[in-house]
Short mmCIF file of all heavy atoms in Angstrom, two decimals:
data_model
loop_
_atom_site.label_atom_id
_atom_site.label_comp_id
_atom_site.label_asym_id
_atom_site.label_seq_id
_atom_site.Cartn_x
_atom_site.Cartn_y
_atom_site.Cartn_z
N LYS I 191 -79.99 54.61 19.35
CA LYS I 191 -80.95 55.54 18.75
C LYS I 191 -81.85 54.77 17.80
O LYS I 191 -81.37 54.08 16.89
CB LYS I 191 -80.19 56.62 18.00
CG LYS I 191 -81.08 57.58 17.22
CD LYS I 191 -80.30 58.84 16.92
CE LYS I 191 -80.89 59.62 15.76
NZ LYS I 191 -80.25 60.93 15.63
N LYS I 193 -84.62 54.82 14.98
CA LYS I 193 -85.24 55.65 13.94
C LYS I 193 -86.69 55.25 13.80
O LYS I 193 -87.00 54.07 13.57
CB LYS I 193 -84.52 55.43 12.60
CG LYS I 193 -83.16 56.09 12.54
CD LYS I 193 -83.28 57.53 12.09
CE LYS I 193 -81.90 58.14 11.88
NZ LYS I 193 -82.00 59.60 11.71
N ASP I 217 -85.64 58.90 17.33
CA ASP I 217 -85.68 59.96 16.32
C ASP I 217 -86.86 59.67 15.39
O ASP I 217 -86.83 58.71 14.63
CB ASP I 217 -84.38 59.98 15.52
CG ASP I 217 -84.29 61.17 14.59
OD1 ASP I 217 -85.31 61.90 14.48
OD2 ASP I 217 -83.23 61.39 13.98
N ASN I 219 -87.88 61.69 13.07
CA ASN I 219 -87.65 62.29 11.74
C ASN I 219 -88.92 62.94 11.17
O ASN I 219 -89.24 62.72 10.00
CB ASN I 219 -87.10 61.25 10.75
CG ASN I 219 -85.64 60.93 10.99
OD1 ASN I 219 -85.29 59.82 11.36
ND2 ASN I 219 -84.76 61.90 10.78
N GLU I 244 -86.40 62.95 19.42
CA GLU I 244 -85.87 63.93 18.48
C GLU I 244 -86.89 64.15 17.35
O GLU I 244 -87.41 63.19 16.80
CB GLU I 244 -84.57 63.34 17.92
CG GLU I 244 -83.70 64.29 17.17
CD GLU I 244 -82.46 63.54 16.64
OE1 GLU I 244 -81.92 62.65 17.33
OE2 GLU I 244 -82.05 63.86 15.53
N ASP I 269 -84.20 68.74 15.47
CA ASP I 269 -83.14 68.40 14.50
C ASP I 269 -83.44 69.10 13.17
O ASP I 269 -82.88 70.16 12.88
CB ASP I 269 -83.03 66.88 14.32
CG ASP I 269 -81.89 66.51 13.37
OD1 ASP I 269 -81.11 67.41 12.98
OD2 ASP I 269 -81.77 65.34 12.99
N GLU I 270 -84.36 68.54 12.37
CA GLU I 270 -84.67 69.15 11.08
C GLU I 270 -85.13 70.60 11.24
O GLU I 270 -84.98 71.41 10.32
CB GLU I 270 -85.75 68.35 10.34
CG GLU I 270 -85.25 67.04 9.74
CD GLU I 270 -85.32 65.87 10.71
OE1 GLU I 270 -85.42 66.11 11.94
OE2 GLU I 270 -85.24 64.71 10.26
N ASN I 289 -80.22 69.53 18.25
CA ASN I 289 -79.24 68.59 17.70
C ASN I 289 -78.37 69.36 16.70
O ASN I 289 -78.85 69.76 15.63
CB ASN I 289 -79.96 67.41 17.02
CG ASN I 289 -78.97 66.34 16.55
OD1 ASN I 289 -77.76 66.52 16.62
ND2 ASN I 289 -79.51 65.24 16.06
N LYS I 291 -75.43 69.60 14.02
CA LYS I 291 -74.66 68.77 13.08
C LYS I 291 -73.81 69.70 12.22
O LYS I 291 -74.31 70.75 11.76
CB LYS I 291 -75.60 67.97 12.17
CG LYS I 291 -76.44 66.94 12.90
CD LYS I 291 -77.42 66.27 11.96
CE LYS I 291 -78.25 65.23 12.69
NZ LYS I 291 -79.36 64.73 11.84
MG1 MG B 401 -82.49 63.38 13.53
#
Side-chain angles (χ1 to χ4, degrees):
K191 175 161 159 171
K193 286 274 186 191
D217 188 353
N219 284 114
E244 193 182 323
D269 183 9
E270 285 88 342
N289 185 353
K291 295 175 179 171

